[in-house]
Amino acid sequence: MNVSVNPCDDFYEFACGNFIKYTIIDDDKPFQTTFSIAGDTLLNKLRIIVTEPIKPDEQRPIKMAKLMFKSCMDKEKIERDGLEPFKKMLKSFGGWPVLEGDKWSYTECTWKDIVYKIREAGYSVDYLIRFSIGIDLKNSMMRAIELDEASLALKGTDEKSVAGYYRYMVDIAVLFGADRHRAVKELRQSLEFEIRLAKISMTAEERRDTAKLYNPMKLADLQQNYPTIPWKEYLNNLLFPLTIQRDDIIIVNAPKYLSELEILLCSTPKRISANYMIWRFAAQCVNFLTEELRKRELEFLTEQSGKTERVPRWKECVGISSDRFSLAIGSLYVRQFFDESAKNEALEMVDGIREEMNKILSTNDWMDDETRRNAIDKANSMTSHVAYPDELLDDCKLNAFYENLEVNDKDYFTSIMNFTKFLTHYSFSSLRQPVNKSDWINHSKTAIINAFYSYDENSIQLPAGILQGVFFSSDRPRYMNYGAIGFVIGHEITHGFDDQGRKYDKHGNLVDWWAKKTKKRFLEKVSCIIKQYGNYTVDEVGLKLNGFNTQGENIADNGGLKQAYSAYKAWTRRHGEEPRLPGLQDYTPQQMFWLSAANVWCSKYRPEALKTDMASNSHSPDRFRVIGPFSNLEDFSDDFRCPLGSNMNPVKKCRVW
């Protein structure tokens, strides 16, 4: 806290000022936040798990997770192996033209052949057309194939970031053995190709209109609409060993993009598209290869985020192992480190906060009766997954999930590729499997500092990992927990009723259940939020917030904070007023609620990272996650006695929920 600041003038500075003043951002980080601090604490616990010696009777998934960590740490072996195994893989794809020079044969190597070979290796097939198996938005009990615009590596089209990205492309190709003169020329063409892909892609604003992204087709429709791509062959190669059926639903998220991609591919020489795709593949693998490549990658990341060091090798390897073996490591994390009493208290908080959302839905003055009934029905149908599913502690189920995976400590790069292939196969093979919305596998990423709302499940998820540190502890006053994790819980619940979530019904189907007049009133209220946040300026980088692209998260912040506060007041009515916090006797329990809620967002960013974040993040910068919602709530102003017209108690307030 910076108590020299008037809380009614700038509550973020009051609650987080000394965090900002005294926090030094580590050289290996683009920022320091309460989330990253909690993440470091979690990482230390996961380190204990993966570095324990393998026991003779160790479960196979746990053993593989430890072996992956061990092989990741063996830098000498990775250097000895060098680039030859990787270059051999490139040859199997038909070669990287910029490396092969005049030897590269384009007669047998189309962009489709490269996609098929990269898919066979288990890597991303999303460089030109994003392909996934998702939930059918209008029938959430069915899965569908989804086709979308490309996933791009180029972030931002300003001159500086494009120039830095281009230098990185050329240098990586040269480190792989390309002639610099050739790389300069050929990768310039690849860069221009990626810029053209960016130009035919939808904007973030356009993608907020979910209805426009839902364009279901059958195979015959797809072939008729985009005739230059042999869709049956293409989809069969991606789905192998499954085959595409005539009646399968294919949802095209970006119809215009696919039409323009056809034109672009027809007018682009094969060498340029091949260079681009293999570059993207190579860039994704740099992290797992030699130190020389990784050093150049760090220079590129420094330009983007301002961080000047890589994270310590052990942190990187713990992250890689725990991310890939999230079920196995999550299982051990819960057994060794999770406080069971936290689960029950968190469940009680979820119930209390949901009840407050119900009250808001029941009593607001702008909904018609039928829309209100549907909204309450949706809120009552929302499921919650707190801490971890019981199946995570079932060794038989864990072993069965990882049964077809092979990982050892002899060859790090091959182990990474094996895992990627395993995960791709798992995802794609789900196409005709029944949808189980409470499937334990989808709710088992427990060792993570985050929380989620799922539109198609109408569910919130609160993993075990976030129930610690600044967010939660079962041995401190409830006003601290309701302010911190309560804010997060309310935020996730409100996502069911933000500008996107409101378009889905209680079953998670994309259905318009709003009466016309009520929808109009909702959009007017949202418009207030868009304008409010769009008028905020981030002084450190001199940029205004994008109120439109951040509206969903801003609605969730405003609604979530209000619900958490109301739930705490309801808890106090049942259990009585809690004692004040020792050392902070001057602050009432209600004031401590607001302080605890603000502390969740204390952060310090490097300017480069803040700019990058603002360009791509759907959340507002942390300062405005406090300033915005707090200044909209009369309860806050009452508790801190902020005069009407002060910064934190403006005359005009915005409220959706």
Side-chain angles (χ1 to χ4, degrees), residues 178-427:
D179 169 71
R180 182 169 286 278
H181 180 71
R182 183 185 287 277
V184 165
K185 181 185 168 214
E186 294 194 10
L187 294 180
R188 163 62 68 183
Q189 295 169 324
S190 291
L191 173 70
E192 285 163 359
F193 178 72
E194 186 167 2
I195 289 170
R196 283 197 287 275
L197 287 176
K199 282 181 176 164
I200 64 173
S201 298
M202 297 164 83
T203 63
E205 284 87 347
E206 288 172 319
R207 291 188 71 87
R208 289 200 80 81
D209 189 344
T210 321
K212 278 187 184 163
L213 302 180
Y214 188 83
N215 303 282
M217 299 179 191
K218 299 280 177 69
L219 183 61
D221 305 322
L222 197 64
Q223 196 59 65
Q224 189 179 345
N225 293 338
Y226 314 104
T228 65
I229 297 170
W231 287 106
K232 188 175 180 183
E233 172 205 301
Y234 186 79
L235 296 171
N236 279 343
N237 272 284
L238 266 49
L239 285 168
F240 184 82
L242 296 180
T243 54
I244 188 75
Q245 306 293 319
R246 202 173 51 188
D247 290 335
D248 281 331
I249 299 290
I250 301 154
I251 295 166
V252 177
N253 292 152
K256 187 165 173 279
Y257 170 84
L258 281 187
S259 296
E260 296 193 21
L261 178 69
E262 282 191 291
I263 297 164
L264 179 58
L265 288 171
C266 288
S267 62
T268 301
K270 289 178 185 174
R271 189 176 185 101
I272 293 175
S273 55
N275 259 330
Y276 169 67
M277 292 169 75
I278 302 293
W279 146 250
R280 290 293 309 280
F281 173 73
Q284 281 192 285
C285 297
V286 161
N287 196 32
F288 310 116
L289 297 167
T290 63
E291 211 46 50
E292 191 178 28
L293 283 164
R294 285 161 52 85
K295 192 175 172 222
R296 180 59 187 91
E297 184 189 39
L298 175 63
E299 288 168 19
F300 173 60
L301 293 173
T302 300
E303 287 178 35
Q304 283 195 315
S305 68
K307 70 174 192 173
T308 55
E309 295 283 342
R310 274 194 174 274
V311 297
R313 185 79 187 193
W314 73 263
K315 279 191 179 182
E316 187 177 324
C317 294
V318 169
I320 283 167
S321 175
S322 62
D323 186 48
R324 280 158 179 76
F325 288 93
S326 58
L327 273 65
I329 298 293
S331 177
L332 281 186
Y333 172 77
V334 166
R335 294 176 212 225
Q336 289 185 31
F337 296 108
F338 186 63
D339 171 13
E340 276 302 317
S341 64
K343 188 172 183 176
N344 295 328
E345 192 176 320
L347 278 165
E348 182 197 351
M349 289 176 71
V350 170
D351 289 344
I353 293 166
R354 274 171 56 158
E355 211 173 293
E356 294 309 314
M357 184 66 192
N358 269 359
K359 284 181 196 167
I360 291 167
L361 293 170
S362 303
T363 58
N364 68 42
D365 58 4
W366 53 273
M367 289 183 113
D368 67 284
D369 289 342
E370 193 183 348
T371 306
R372 190 190 307 281
R373 270 196 302 275
N374 286 331
I376 292 168
D377 203 10
K378 178 172 183 176
N380 288 333
S381 303
M382 196 180 285
T383 52
S384 46
H385 304 276
V386 175
Y388 64 91
D390 294 338
E391 292 92 334
L392 196 63
L393 305 183
D394 184 329
D395 291 335
C396 294
K397 283 190 163 65
L398 273 181
N399 285 323
F401 178 75
Y402 291 106
E403 192 178 11
N404 298 318
L405 175 63
E406 191 54 57
V407 163
N408 59 50
D409 60 344
K410 304 288 182 290
D411 183 349
Y412 177 52
F413 184 67
T414 302
S415 288
I416 289 286
M417 296 303 286
N418 283 355
F419 195 91
T420 310
K421 189 187 282 190
F422 164 77
L423 219 52
T424 302
H425 177 71
Y426 173 76
S427 171

Side-chain angles (χ1 to χ4, degrees), residues 494-519:
T494 311
H495 268 314
F497 302 91
D498 69 10
D499 69 304
Q500 301 293 312
R502 72 158 194 88
K503 297 171 184 172
Y504 297 79
D505 68 7
K506 66 175 182 178
H507 302 296
N509 293 322
L510 189 62
V511 173
D512 190 357
W513 46 272
W514 290 67
K516 251 188 183 163
K517 271 188 180 172
T518 303
K519 190 198 295 187

Side-chain angles (χ1 to χ4, degrees), residues 535-597:
N535 280 323
Y536 289 138
T537 299
V538 181
D539 292 333
E540 301 95 309
V541 290
L543 293 172
K544 267 189 160 25
L545 265 61
N546 186 320
F548 189 84
N549 288 348
T550 56
Q551 61 180 299
E553 299 297 340
N554 298 334
I555 293 165
D557 278 346
N558 278 268
L561 184 63
K562 180 182 177 182
Q563 289 155 41
Y565 184 76
S566 300
Y568 176 63
K569 286 209 298 193
W571 186 90
T572 305
R573 284 195 294 275
R574 291 194 304 274
H575 300 278
E577 188 94 346
E578 292 183 287
R580 296 188 178 208
L581 204 64
L584 288 166
Q585 296 283 359
D586 291 346
Y587 299 100
T588 66
Q590 289 73 25
Q591 289 174 326
M592 288 307 301
F593 167 92
W594 301 108
L595 270 165
S596 183

